[in-house]
């Protein structure tokens, strides 16, 4: 595993939770229209047993009960939308650590493939 980008400094435990923990929730398994209360992210490169690498976006935040959760994905669409939100937050002088709510969306491409996306709410 190789960390490529972080939104802030994380503790070793947070990095573990975001990159290795079995409790990480795949974004594709998050119910449609769920609100994710985000306060940080890590982009990392992961290598599988065959030596293939993937770029993963891992997001830390809280669920509606206030419990810490981590969501992760490889989806180019979701990652692009999320990073667009992050860029606007940075440019406006806001701080992602203060929290931002995003909504998980599902869609279907013209060719019939399912995909995940997000929007700022």
């Amino acid at each position: 595993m190789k960390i490529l980008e972080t939104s802030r400094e994380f503790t070793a435990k947070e990095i573990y939770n975001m990159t290795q923990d079995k409790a990480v929730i795949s974004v594709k398994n998050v119910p449609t229209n769920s609100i994710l209360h985000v306060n940080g992210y890590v982009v990392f490169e992961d290598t599988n047993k065959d030596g293939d690498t993937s770029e993963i976006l891992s997001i830390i935040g809280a669920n509606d009960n206030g419990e810490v959760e981590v969501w992760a994905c490889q989806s180019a669409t979701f990652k692009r939308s999320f990073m667009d939100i992050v860029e606007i937050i940075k440019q406006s002088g806001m701080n992602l650590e203060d929290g931002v709510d995003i909504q998980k969306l599902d869609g279907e491409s013209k060719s019939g493939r399912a995909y995940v996306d997000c929007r700022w709410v």
Side-chain angles (χ1 to χ4, degrees):
M1 177 202 53
K2 177 181 175 186
I3 303 290
L4 303 174
E5 180 179 346
T6 64
S7 61
R8 60 180 164 89
E9 285 200 35
F10 291 100
T11 66
K13 177 74 165 124
E14 287 173 318
I15 292 293
Y16 170 82
N17 289 345
M18 297 174 75
T19 62
Q20 305 298 315
D21 192 8
K22 305 303 181 229
V24 172
I25 300 165
S26 175
V27 169
K28 67 182 177 190
N29 294 331
V30 173
T32 303
N33 296 322
S34 292
I35 304 298
L36 310 180
H37 310 287
V38 176
N39 61 36
Y41 72 89
V42 169
V43 178
F44 67 99
E45 194 173 78
D46 196 29
T47 305
N48 68 17
K49 62 180 173 57
D50 297 326
D52 299 325
T53 59
S54 300
E55 186 178 283
I56 311 289
L57 168 65
S58 188
I59 303 167
I60 193 167
N63 62 23
D64 287 332
N65 297 326
E67 300 162 330
V68 174
E69 283 190 347
V70 175
W71 310 279
C73 74
Q74 297 179 46
S75 164
T77 302
F78 188 96
K79 290 190 297 187
R80 185 172 42 254
S81 294
F82 182 81
M83 296 311 286
D84 286 347
I85 293 167
V86 167
E87 188 58 34
I88 291 168
I89 288 170
K90 285 179 184 177
Q91 289 179 3
S92 71
M94 294 175 60
N95 190 339
L96 186 63
E97 290 178 49
D98 295 333
V100 63
D101 290 346
I102 64 169
Q103 183 178 34
K104 186 261 186 164
L105 305 172
D106 288 296
E108 187 176 305
S109 68
K110 293 177 184 175
S111 63
R113 283 190 61 183
Y115 66 88
V116 293
D117 203 349
C118 66
R119 64 186 279 267
W120 192 358
V121 293

